[in-house]
Amino acid sequence: MQTLEHFQPSQMIMRPDNILFVSSNGIGLGHLARQMAVADRIAKGQRSVFLTMSYAAATLKQAGYLCLMTSHHRNNGMEVDAWNLALEQEYLVTIEELRPKALIYDATAVFGGVAEMLYRVPDLTSIWIRRPMWRPIHAPFLEHSSRFTLVIEPGELADELDDGPTKAVQSETMRVQPILHTDPCDRLTREAARQALGLPLDATVVCVQMFNGGEYDLGSVRAAVIERLLARDNVYVIEFHSALVPAARATDSPRHLTMNLFPTFRYSNAWDAAVSAAGYNSFHENVIGAVPTLFVPNEGDEMDMQKTRARWALEKGCGLMMCRDDAGQLNGILERLLDNAERESIARRCQAIDWTNGAIAVARHIDALPSVA
């Protein structure tokens, strides 16, 4: 763990208004992006400090946040019990130094070291931001809910189809609307975004976001999608790869662009359509942002129920869906995605969704918490 002493003394002046954001790792940026959505909207005069296991921590530093990093036992070779004890001590030292008025935890797993730390500092206001759509395998983590002062559930557009273990305890949470890091109205215009990305104004652009990390490999589908798209005249493919996993191999086509850029949603007016997994952030950005999207769910056991989200989008006419094992239908589905009338119909239904950013409600709740004396 990078300790607080690595920062300049002027940065670490004791303040009663520190907010400590704690998150786990993952193959995407979901946990960090939700926390940044809240931190960006907290009232001035408070300071957000991040303690994360994510290798995308550089994203936080680029945004101007103080960031501390620790590692998961899978990445440092420690035995699980020893790692949890070390994790507990690292968190306790950080809390003693920062004296935060609140700890904001965003993860599915509540590690033993986290649960024990919360037990040892019962007066600390702790908030678990716990997105829904859990698989049954994650249900045991719900036993730790009582360790937190409050559990906040970010809204889920596909809530009506959610039959995961968090559904039964939904009434015990503070529920807010879906959380997005970037509001759709804050995106660059089509012209400005295309100019920034080096894309021609008269081309059809499709954004492909299917990371190869995790146990569920979407690499073959990704390759087939890109091959079929580039076989069409005047179609450009742009890919953004995660900071957490190696970039997928690019083709030799000048119409295939790859880059690492955050937040990608800020540039989403640049593309006409998208092919994407159905993780919480990418799903809600594309639907609420009215980006016509073919959702290809990552159905790995470690993931949330992405197939349920994709099915909701298909049923509501807010997107298209194709599972990895249905790749034989790819040509027909891409025909629909590239059809102007189909895209306009999808965008129109998405634009009809009533939404305000749940990050605002979470930030206002944190603002109202008492400062530490």
Side-chain angles (χ1 to χ4, degrees), residues 32-326:
L32 285 186
R34 272 192 300 276
Q35 291 192 326
M36 289 177 70
V38 174
D40 288 352
R41 292 165 175 82
I42 287 176
K44 293 181 179 180
Q46 302 176 97
R47 180 177 58 179
S48 298
V49 180
F50 288 77
L51 175 54
T52 183
M53 299 177 193
S54 173
Y55 287 119
T59 300
L60 296 165
K61 294 183 179 180
Q62 289 166 5
Y65 289 111
L66 287 179
C67 177
L68 311 175
M69 216 182 146
T70 189
S71 59
H72 192 274
H73 61 80
R74 283 195 299 245
N75 300 323
N76 63 18
M78 290 183 69
E79 190 273 333
V80 174
D81 289 342
W83 175 78
N84 270 302
L85 180 60
L87 189 71
E88 174 195 343
Q89 294 303 314
E90 289 174 353
Y91 287 169
L92 288 172
V93 168
T94 304
I95 290 167
E96 182 179 357
E97 290 287 337
L98 288 177
R99 297 180 61 239
K101 80 169 190 176
L103 180 148
I104 316 299
Y105 188 74
D106 193 311
T108 299
V110 179
F111 305 111
V114 174
E116 187 63 22
M117 172 271 294
L118 292 174
Y119 173 77
R120 291 182 178 279
V121 284
D123 294 336
L124 174 67
T125 297
S126 57
I127 297 174
W128 186 9
I129 298 180
R130 190 182 69 201
R131 61 114 179 88
M133 286 289 179
W134 280 22
R135 292 180 181 274
I137 193 174
H138 296 134
F141 293 123
L142 291 175
E143 298 175 3
H144 298 299
S145 299
S146 61
R147 295 290 178 97
F148 293 88
T149 309
L150 175 68
V151 177
I152 296 179
E153 182 176 295
E156 175 70 61
L157 289 176
D159 175 70
E160 63 195 85
L161 301 182
D162 185 2
D163 59 359
T166 62
K167 193 72 171 182
V169 294
Q170 200 173 55
S171 62
E172 301 171 12
T173 69
M174 171 183 164
R175 300 179 65 198
V176 299
Q177 292 216 22
I179 292 176
L180 295 189
H181 176 262
T182 302
D183 289 337
C185 62
D186 292 333
R187 292 177 292 179
L188 296 176
T189 64
R190 176 186 174 91
E191 293 76 14
R194 289 205 171 189
Q195 182 178 16
L197 298 173
L199 294 166
L201 292 176
D202 59 349
T204 297
V205 177
V206 181
C207 178
V208 176
Q209 288 186 286
M210 288 186 287
F211 303 141
N212 290 331
E215 298 177 359
Y216 193 81
D217 186 14
L218 290 173
S220 60
V221 178
R222 168 198 166 270
V225 166
I226 293 171
E227 179 185 6
R228 277 37 181 294
L229 289 172
L230 293 177
R232 299 165 183 266
D233 293 337
N234 206 37
V235 172
Y236 279 65
V237 173
I238 184 166
E239 283 192 285
F240 299 99
H241 60 85
S242 169
L244 302 179
V245 296
R249 182 181 179 276
T251 65
D252 295 328
S253 173
R255 292 185 284 116
H256 182 195
L257 288 69
T258 64
M259 61 186 71
N260 187 340
L261 184 67
F262 180 86
T264 59
F265 185 56
R266 184 169 182 264
Y267 299 84
S268 59
N269 282 325
W271 39 93
D272 301 285
V275 181
S276 173
Y280 182 92
N281 286 29
S282 57
F283 178 83
H284 288 92
E285 285 176 346
N286 285 341
V287 174
I288 293 172
V291 178
T293 302
L294 166 58
F295 291 107
V296 184
N298 184 325
E299 300 179 64
D301 290 340
E302 75 276 21
M303 307 303 290
D304 52 355
M305 294 191 292
Q306 293 194 14
K307 187 174 180 179
T308 301
R309 288 197 189 98
R311 180 161 59 90
W312 180 90
L314 181 65
E315 292 176 357
K316 298 297 183 182
C318 292
L320 303 176
M321 171 184 172
M322 187 190 76
C323 293
R324 182 181 66 178
D325 297 336
D326 298 329

